[in-house]
């Protein structure tokens, strides 16, 4: 099978990730942070090493300000629900995933929050002036999807973040498609919070996510409960990371994520360069196929995500035909209806190809040749 669905989750993972996961479960699968026996302490050390490795990659000076979650969706829920209060205003980009839009829709109907969705220029890029004009004294949060999971287009988040900073509006960045390949640090992006999955570009396993919090940015926790600390009190501890990490942590997942982070730290430049080259090749070859139309401005900066719309027929049918021929891609709206509305592809949907760290040029060529054949 040729796997071109790395935007959903990266596959395969480096062998080190699998070894780390089985290793902790075999050797010290105790509950990290619960108990003082040596197995629990060993498990706790894996968690803290992973937190430190993530903090280093994300430019977070105090590792306790990196929070473990189950996925990027949970990180976004924590950040959004934890920051917004009834009546607040929020601005977001046209590229947001439903992991943002559905959270906002709930806050709109439940708490009277109001949302402004910013519209980009013809190239798909948001202009800092558009953002500046949308901010008001009641804007409590700005949310930007770093790179679209449909077009791959990367927003100029650092410049947009500078606008937020000047206006005193906290910025939350959804780095689901960029963490592990681009420079995703709080300082580089002028961000206050960055949400990301552990299971995509960071090459960790399913069920892992992270939220990085800038000093002084303290959303309300999403979950409260047992933290293994301050058990005498029924109040949630204010101590980080405990404030945000109630319940037993995903030890095998975190051990695997640590191995993924070490791999990414070592090979990030090579992976980014290879993915960019493969994506260019993919775009060029798909553009040569008369039966499909490639989405997104050709000149815009992008990560390794390319979507096409079949000129005739249905995107789901094309994805099914590719699957039957041994190519895994994703069809439909990719949980991002707002950008499909902007692209004019809400009805048709699209077929998304996303190469990853272990994709080869040969696989890209074979997949493109199949698209040519299936759509002629
Ligand atoms: C831009 C974007 N945000 C959020 C998510 C949600 O990520 P997760 O599946 O880890 O919750 C995705 C996943 O596809 C995404 O592409």
């Amino acid at each position: 099978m040729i796997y071109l669905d790395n935007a959903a989750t990266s596959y395969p993972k480096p062998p080190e990730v699998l070894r780390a996961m089985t290793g902790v479960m075999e050797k010290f699968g105790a509950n990290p942070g619960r108990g003082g026996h040596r197995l629990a302490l060993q498990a706790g050390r894996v968690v803290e090493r992973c937190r430190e490795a993530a903090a280093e990659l994300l430019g977070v000076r105090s590792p306790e300000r990196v929070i473990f979650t189950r996925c990027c969706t949970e990180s976004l829920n924590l950040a959004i629900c934890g920051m917004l209060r009834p009546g607040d205003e929020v601005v977001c980009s046209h590229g947001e995933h439903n992991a943002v839009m559905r959270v906002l829709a709930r806050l709109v109907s439940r708490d009277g929050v109001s949302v402004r969705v910013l519209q980009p220029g013809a190239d798909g890029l948001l202009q800092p002036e558009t953002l500046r004009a949308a901010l008001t004294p009641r804007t409590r949060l700005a949310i930007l999807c770093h790179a679209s999971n449909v077009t791959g287009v990367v927003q100029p988040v650092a410049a947009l973040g500078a606008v937020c900073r000047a206006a005193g509006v906290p910025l939350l960045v959804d780095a689901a498609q960029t963490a592990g390949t681009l420079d995703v640090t709080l300082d580089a992006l002028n961000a206050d919070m960055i949400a990301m999955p552990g299971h995509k570009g960071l090459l960790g396993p399913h069920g892992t996510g992270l939220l990085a919090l800038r000093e002084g940015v303290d959303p309300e926790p999403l979950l409260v409960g047992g933290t293994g600390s301050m058990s005498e009190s029924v109040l949630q501890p204010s101590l980080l990371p405990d404030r945000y990490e109630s319940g037993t942590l995903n030890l095998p997942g975190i051990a695997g994520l640590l191995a993924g982070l070490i791999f990414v730290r070592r090979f990030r430049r090579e992976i980014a360069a290879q993915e960019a080259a493969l994506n260019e090749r993919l775009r060029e070859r798909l553009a040569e196929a008369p039966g499909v139309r490639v989405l997104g401005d050709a000149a815009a900066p992008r990560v390794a995500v390319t979507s096409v719309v079949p000129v005739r027929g249905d995107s789901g049918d094309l994805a099914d035909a590719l699957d039957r021929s041994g190519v895994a891609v994703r069809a439909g709206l990719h949980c991002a209806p707002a950008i499909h509305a902007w692209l004019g592809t809400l009805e048709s949907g699209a077929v998304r190809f996303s190469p990853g760290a272990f994709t080869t040029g040969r696989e890209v060529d074979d997949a493109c040749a199949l698209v040519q054949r299936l759509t002629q």
Side-chain angles (χ1 to χ4, degrees):
M1 196 81 183
I2 297 176
Y3 184 77
L4 292 176
D5 197 17
N6 288 274
T9 197
S10 53
Y11 175 75
K13 311 292 181 187
E16 296 89 312
V17 171
L18 279 64
R19 280 202 296 273
M21 294 177 75
T22 48
V24 289
M25 294 307 280
E26 280 163 11
K27 294 187 205 118
F28 46 87
N31 201 329
R34 308 286 194 279
H37 56 79
R38 82 186 78 140
L39 296 180
L41 295 180
Q42 264 180 299
R45 273 196 290 277
V46 170
V47 171
E48 291 325 310
R49 277 179 57 215
C50 185
R51 201 186 301 284
E52 282 159 20
E56 189 188 315
L57 193 78
L58 301 170
V60 179
R61 281 174 276 279
S62 313
E64 65 274 14
R65 300 196 73 80
V66 174
I67 309 304
F68 289 115
T69 63
R70 282 187 306 125
C71 53
C72 190
T73 301
E74 185 178 320
S75 302
L76 290 163
N77 268 265
L78 196 177
I80 298 168
C81 297
M83 292 298 282
L84 293 178
R85 299 287 162 272
D88 281 345
E89 284 181 13
V90 50
V91 296
C92 68
S93 80
H94 68 300
E96 303 307 325
H97 191 273
N98 276 338
V100 168
M101 295 313 285
R102 287 183 175 168
V103 185
L104 292 178
R106 174 195 256 187
L107 297 181
V108 167
S109 62
R110 196 182 67 188
D111 296 338
V113 163
S114 52
V115 179
R116 287 174 189 225
V117 180
L118 305 172
Q119 293 303 312
D123 55 3
L125 297 174
L126 285 171
Q127 301 302 319
E129 306 78 65
T130 310
L131 172 61
R132 198 174 294 117
L135 300 179
T136 78
R138 285 175 50 218
T139 311
R140 173 88 173 116
L141 184 66
I143 308 171
L144 295 173
C145 185
H146 194 186
S148 163
N149 64 321
V150 177
T151 60
V153 168
V154 179
Q155 295 298 331
V157 171
L160 296 162
V163 172
C164 294
R165 176 126 317 157
V169 174
L171 171 63
L172 165 64
V173 176
D174 175 354
Q177 298 299 338
T178 54
T181 41
L182 300 190
D183 189 9
V184 173
T185 63
L186 289 171
D187 287 345
L189 298 179
N190 276 320
D192 296 284
M193 297 179 282
I194 308 179
M196 74 209 72
H199 63 92
K200 300 192 196 214
L202 298 180
L203 303 179
H206 303 66
T208 58
L210 296 167
L211 178 67
L213 297 173
R214 187 179 283 282
E215 211 73 45
V217 178
D218 298 300
E220 279 297 307
L222 198 58
L223 274 184
V224 294
T227 56
S229 57
M230 311 202 176
S231 299
E232 69 286 358
S233 172
V234 292
L235 299 178
Q236 186 72 358
S238 55
L239 183 82
L240 295 183
D242 301 26
R243 177 167 148 86
Y244 300 111
E245 291 181 354
S246 289
T248 295
L249 287 171
N250 174 4
L251 177 68
I254 291 171
L257 177 57
L258 170 59
L261 285 164
I262 293 170
F263 190 91
V264 166
R265 186 166 65 195
R266 191 153 162 225
F267 297 114
R268 182 159 73 92
R269 277 178 217 295
E270 290 87 338
I271 294 172
Q274 179 179 316
E275 284 187 7
L278 289 175
N279 198 50
E280 269 318 293
R281 187 158 166 168
L282 192 60
R283 282 185 75 83
E284 276 166 25
R285 303 272 147 98
L286 291 173
E288 287 162 7
V292 294
R293 177 169 63 84
V294 180
L295 296 178
D297 186 271
R302 54 170 34 88
V303 289
V305 173
T306 294
S307 295
V308 301
V309 178
V311 174
R312 280 188 306 278
D314 182 72
S315 60
D317 291 344
L318 176 56
D320 288 346
L322 284 165
D323 180 38
R324 283 193 296 276
S325 308
V327 180
V329 293
R330 177 155 175 216
L333 298 179
H334 315 95
C335 303
I339 194 162
H340 276 287
W342 181 77
L343 290 162
T345 50
L346 257 186
E347 286 287 309
S348 61
V351 182
R352 180 181 73 186
F353 299 76
S354 48
F358 300 103
T359 308
T360 64
R362 173 83 196 271
E363 288 179 315
V364 164
D365 292 347
D366 289 352
C368 293
L370 257 174
V371 173
Q372 283 263 12
R373 188 140 47 81
L374 291 168
T375 58
Q376 68 194 359

